[in-house]
Amino acid sequence: MKELGSKVWAIPAGRIPPDSTGREPEFNSRDELCLLNATGEEANLEITIFYADRDPVGPYTLKVEACRVRNVRFNDLIDPEAIPMGIDYAAVVESDVPIVAQHVRFDSRRAEDSMFGSLGFAGDG
Amino acid sequence: MKELGSKVWAIPAGRIPPDSTGREPEFNSRDELCLLNATGEEANLEITIFYADRDPVGPYTLKVEACRVRNVRFNDLIDPEAIPMGIDYAAVVESDVPIVAQHVRFDSRRAEDSMFGSLGFAGDG
Amino acid sequence: MKELGSKVWAIPAGRIPPDSTGREPEFNSRDELCLLNATGEEANLEITIFYADRDPVGPYTLKVEACRVRNVRFNDLIDPEAIPMGIDYAAVVESDVPIVAQHVRFDSRRAEDSMFGSLGFAGDG
Amino acid sequence: MKELGSKVWAIPAGRIPPDSTGREPEFNSRDELCLLNATGEEANLEITIFYADRDPVGPYTLKVEACRVRNVRFNDLIDPEAIPMGIDYAAVVESDVPIVAQHVRFDSRRAEDSMFGSLGFAGDG
């Protein structure tokens, strides 16, 4: 399945909920980036974070091994710098092999959680 | 990344929840339009709002600076006129450079919030 | 915008939640079909409902006026027959002009509602 | 409608919530795979499950009859082996005829449920 996915993905609606309720870590509020590399080659990713009022920050580098998934919480992206909580951001993910990327938000600020899951926008072309 | 996205987006399922519970503004019910301009040029947007029983209204004009995100609550679109709450609408977003658009609904009418996030339909072509 | 959308849409994950809590009709559990016709011509739709263990039922016919949205609750589709609640179904929407279709589920079975919103699959081609 | 859909789908964000509250089976936490076969031929599917730290497992074989939907809970996929709960996985679905696939998560770990619904990524080409 060496062509399953896209080499460029955009996640436009980032915002890490700043508070949480419930047991850690499974009920922590978060933005997750869910990545599938269904190819036979390791994927080398460069993630750029865009903000409303300052220049983009990056690249955040990440590997996804061949035939593996990798689930990253955006607040674990700390090099070159952490993403502030509670503010709007977007992520552009570039990979050297095709991958599939989904954005899942889990918001537990008010005891009973809410969530959404949205595929990224596949920008390959 | 001058070609990441589309110049036309459709958001079909608009309806601003008319009530809210919890602290303002973070728990206000809302429809959000999350925009990413990953290009090096300012994006000039024209948004048209479609209704069930009257002619479309617009354009609402908006800029998204180069390499920036912009998150707009639909109820903050007031010129030429505000979008009524609690009724069905759709938005068509046209931009002079490619952008990526996502619709996020946050509904706090009943104490524990619910939400969805859905990419717009990319109508470029 | 005479080409915005697709003439065929698939909504694979239908299931009308069988119970509700809260004030009618705004907190009724439901599957909604949100339709945007951004063209200058009336759209004539034929909807076919697919089931797990019986033949498809349809067509359900529906019009969406030019430059209008139309939001239909699936449980309001009653001719040729109502869709049973609580069972799996899918919808295929065919239109004579391009439209955009989104599926929104609102589930209020347990006091605090949950929901999702997902674009249909655009099957034009 | 013999060409509606794709023969390859990726579901990147799998994780079966490990706990539930409420009446079984309708409030059980789960990941669902919602499949529509709108063609006139039986669909023969092979599903491969990808993990973060081990080799992919599969194929899980499944049939969807002609003109039918089929809704499968991922935790009912047990041959060649069950998918562990609470860990990240992805699914790649391959079919011999075009189908449409959606991923729905229903999470009832904390009394009031949350959910998302996201089309798979159509990898046909």
Side-chain angles (χ1 to χ4, degrees):
Chain A
M1 285 175 289
K2 64 184 184 306
E3 291 304 321
L4 182 57
S6 171
K7 292 181 178 177
V8 184
W9 290 88
I11 307 286
R15 189 169 55 227
I16 305 168
D19 304 302
S20 298
T21 62
R23 284 194 317 274
E24 296 188 356
E26 70 267 44
F27 289 107
N28 276 165
S29 289
R30 59 188 175 265
D31 270 1
E32 291 179 15
L33 178 62
C34 304
L35 300 161
L36 166 63
N37 175 9
T39 78
E41 295 171 70
E42 184 180 66
N44 295 283
L45 277 57
E46 295 197 340
I47 302 174
T48 305
I49 303 294
F50 290 76
Y51 292 101
D53 52 9
R54 51 187 288 232
D55 284 343
V57 175
Y60 297 80
T61 60
L62 208 64
K63 289 183 191 299
V64 186
E65 285 177 63
C67 294
R68 291 291 186 275
V69 298
R70 185 161 178 189
N71 187 310
V72 181
R73 296 190 181 192
F74 278 101
N75 52 310
D76 288 336
L77 296 177
I78 55 173
D79 179 15
E81 65 178 56
I83 301 172
M85 300 179 94
I87 67 153
D88 300 314
Y89 69 91
V92 172
V93 180
E94 297 169 279
S95 172
D96 56 354
V97 300
I99 57 170
V100 186
Q102 183 151 2
H103 175 204
V104 176
R105 174 167 302 155
F106 184 83
D107 183 343
S108 70
R109 290 176 297 167
R110 297 211 290 177
E112 310 306 341
D113 37 85
S114 58
M115 65 178 170
F116 71 73
S118 174
L119 276 182
F121 175 80
D124 223 351
Chain B
M1 284 175 289
K2 63 183 185 307
E3 292 305 321
L4 182 57
S6 170
K7 291 181 177 178
V8 184
W9 291 88
I11 307 285
R15 189 168 56 225
I16 305 170
D19 303 301
S20 297
T21 61
R23 284 194 316 274
E24 295 188 355
E26 71 266 43
F27 288 107
N28 277 164
S29 289
R30 59 187 174 266
D31 270 1
E32 291 179 16
L33 177 62
C34 304
L35 301 162
L36 167 63
N37 175 8
T39 77
E41 295 170 70
E42 183 180 66
N44 295 282
L45 277 57
E46 295 197 340
I47 302 174
T48 305
I49 303 294
F50 291 76
Y51 292 102
D53 52 10
R54 52 187 289 232
D55 285 341
V57 176
Y60 296 81
T61 60
L62 207 66
K63 289 181 189 303
V64 186
E65 285 177 62
C67 293
R68 292 291 186 275
V69 298
R70 186 160 178 190
N71 186 311
V72 180
R73 296 188 182 193
F74 277 101
N75 52 310
D76 288 337
L77 296 177
I78 55 172
D79 180 16
E81 63 179 57
I83 301 172
M85 300 178 94
I87 66 153
D88 300 315
Y89 69 90
V92 172
V93 181
E94 297 169 279
S95 171
D96 55 355
V97 300
I99 57 170
V100 186
Q102 183 150 0
H103 174 204
V104 176
R105 175 168 301 155
F106 183 83
D107 183 342
S108 69
R109 290 176 296 167
R110 298 213 289 178
E112 310 306 341
D113 35 86
S114 58
M115 65 178 171
F116 71 72
S118 175
L119 275 183
F121 175 79
D124 222 352
Chain C
M1 284 176 288
K2 64 183 186 306
E3 291 305 321
L4 182 58
S6 170
K7 291 181 178 178
V8 185
W9 290 88
I11 306 284
R15 188 170 55 225
I16 305 170
D19 304 301
S20 298
T21 61
R23 284 195 315 275
E24 295 188 355
E26 70 266 44
F27 288 107
N28 276 164
S29 289
R30 61 188 174 264
D31 269 2
E32 292 179 15
L33 178 62
C34 304
L35 301 161
L36 166 63
N37 175 8
T39 77
E41 296 171 69
E42 184 180 67
N44 295 282
L45 277 57
E46 295 197 340
I47 302 175
T48 305
I49 303 295
F50 290 77
Y51 292 102
D53 53 10
R54 52 186 288 232
D55 284 341
V57 176
Y60 297 81
T61 59
L62 206 66
K63 289 181 190 301
V64 186
E65 286 177 62
C67 293
R68 291 291 185 276
V69 298
R70 186 161 177 189
N71 187 311
V72 181
R73 295 188 182 193
F74 278 101
N75 51 309
D76 288 336
L77 296 177
I78 56 173
D79 180 18
E81 64 178 58
I83 301 172
M85 300 180 93
I87 66 151
D88 300 314
Y89 69 91
V92 172
V93 181
E94 297 170 279
S95 172
D96 55 354
V97 300
I99 57 169
V100 186
Q102 183 151 1
H103 175 205
V104 175
R105 175 168 302 155
F106 184 82
D107 183 342
S108 70
R109 290 176 296 168
R110 297 212 290 177
E112 310 305 341
D113 35 86
S114 58
M115 65 178 171
F116 71 71
S118 175
L119 275 182
F121 174 79
D124 223 352
Chain D
M1 284 176 289
K2 64 183 185 305
E3 292 304 322
L4 182 58
S6 171
K7 291 181 178 178
V8 184
W9 290 89
I11 306 285
R15 189 170 53 226
I16 305 170
D19 304 301
S20 298
T21 61
R23 285 194 316 274
E24 295 189 356
E26 70 266 44
F27 289 108
N28 276 164
S29 289
R30 60 188 174 265
D31 270 2
E32 292 179 15
L33 177 62
C34 304
L35 301 161
L36 167 63
N37 176 8
T39 77
E41 296 171 68
E42 184 180 67
N44 295 283
L45 277 57
E46 295 197 339
I47 302 174
T48 305
I49 303 295
F50 291 77
Y51 292 102
D53 52 9
R54 51 186 288 233
D55 284 342
V57 175
Y60 297 81
T61 60
L62 207 65
K63 289 182 191 298
V64 186
E65 286 176 62
C67 293
R68 291 291 185 276
V69 298
R70 186 161 178 188
N71 188 311
V72 180
R73 296 189 182 193
F74 278 101
N75 51 310
D76 288 336
L77 296 177
I78 56 172
D79 179 16
E81 64 178 56
I83 301 172
M85 300 180 93
I87 67 152
D88 300 313
Y89 69 92
V92 172
V93 181
E94 297 169 278
S95 172
D96 56 354
V97 299
I99 57 169
V100 187
Q102 183 151 0
H103 174 205
V104 175
R105 175 167 302 155
F106 184 82
D107 183 341
S108 70
R109 291 176 296 167
R110 297 212 289 178
E112 309 305 341
D113 36 86
S114 58
M115 65 178 171
F116 70 73
S118 175
L119 276 182
F121 175 79
D124 223 352

